[in-house]
Amino acid sequence: MTKTTLLRASLGLALALPAAAFAADVPQSFTATYHVLQGGSPLGDATLTLKPAANGQFEYTNRTQGTSGLAAALGASVSETSDFTWAGKVPQAVSYRYEMASALKPKTRSLVVQGGTVQVQDNKKSYTYPAAPGMVERNTLPLALGVALRGGAQQVSFPVAVKQQVETQQFKVAGKEKVTVPAGTFDAVRVERADEAKGFSAWYVPTKYPVPVKLAQSDGGDLTLELVKFQGK
């Protein structure tokens, strides 16, 4: 469960247009729920929520609760909270916090962008490095990709704030497939990692949802997310 920080795919696209220019083109609020499976077996449930916050920012949360197996026995849960501003069609990072709770070892990580600098606190370790324009972080990356796909992108590259640096990560549309999840059956586009990192696939219906209907990743375990319900504006 320590790796089920869900939907953390690494993506990117930096546009220099003002956020107001695309106010009608980017999502303002929604709630999406998913079933989480490991090796095809139920593991937990995840809820993603986007809502407006103060000072023109948005809050994006991702909460996962273990409901089966060892994850349930340990009371394992993961919470990720991001604050960002829409910089054109990019959810540009302002801050991020990760918290993993369980009966074993809890874990926290925070990231704050201040004055062109990224400050990271990973449990007891601290890191500082320069920020990049149009920079996103792992929690909002799938959202950034969904917005890019809706705009017609076939391949995207984002500067991503990770633990010790800004990392450029690339994704591409690899094909179209019919996908069945609890929310229904969809004609989706499959997106895969396009750089040296492998083990990630996501299926989007960009004309309908800004987040994947299905996501599968092997990094940290054979994890799959399947959309159950989406409510949004």
Side-chain angles (χ1 to χ4, degrees), residues 28-195:
Q28 306 293 302
S29 63
F30 64 76
T31 299
T33 56
Y34 292 82
H35 287 327
V36 185
L37 303 100
Q38 185 169 42
S41 298
L43 180 67
D45 294 314
T47 301
L48 306 183
T49 304
L50 172 68
K51 63 181 181 180
N55 302 318
Q57 297 181 11
F58 287 80
E59 182 184 85
Y60 187 61
T61 59
N62 180 347
R63 293 188 173 90
T64 305
Q65 181 67 50
T67 58
S68 300
L70 184 60
L74 294 176
S77 65
V78 171
S79 174
E80 295 180 271
T81 302
S82 301
D83 290 313
F84 70 86
T85 58
W86 284 113
K89 294 186 179 181
V90 177
Q92 183 168 260
V94 174
S95 67
Y96 164 77
R97 182 167 180 82
Y98 167 88
E99 296 179 317
M100 190 273 292
S102 76
L104 297 178
K105 185 178 180 180
K107 181 178 179 180
T108 63
R109 178 184 293 177
S110 64
L111 179 154
V112 178
V113 182
Q114 290 184 331
T117 299
V118 180
Q119 300 176 4
V120 176
Q121 187 71 36
D122 185 48
N123 287 330
K124 296 182 179 181
K125 295 182 178 180
S126 301
Y127 306 93
T128 301
Y129 54 86
M135 183 183 69
V136 297
E137 38 76 18
R138 69 185 192 181
N139 190 37
T140 53
L141 297 178
L143 174 62
L145 180 57
V147 173
L149 292 171
R150 185 175 183 179
Q154 296 294 301
Q155 187 163 341
V156 293
S157 176
F158 278 78
V160 181
V162 294
K163 185 164 68 173
Q164 300 185 49
Q165 62 186 351
V166 176
E167 182 178 277
T168 300
Q169 300 179 2
Q170 301 173 350
F171 286 75
K172 66 179 180 180
V173 173
K176 296 182 178 181
E177 296 179 359
K178 189 175 291 292
V179 175
T180 298
V181 294
T185 298
F186 304 95
D187 292 319
V189 294
R190 187 179 81 254
V191 178
E192 296 182 348
R193 191 78 180 263
D195 50 35

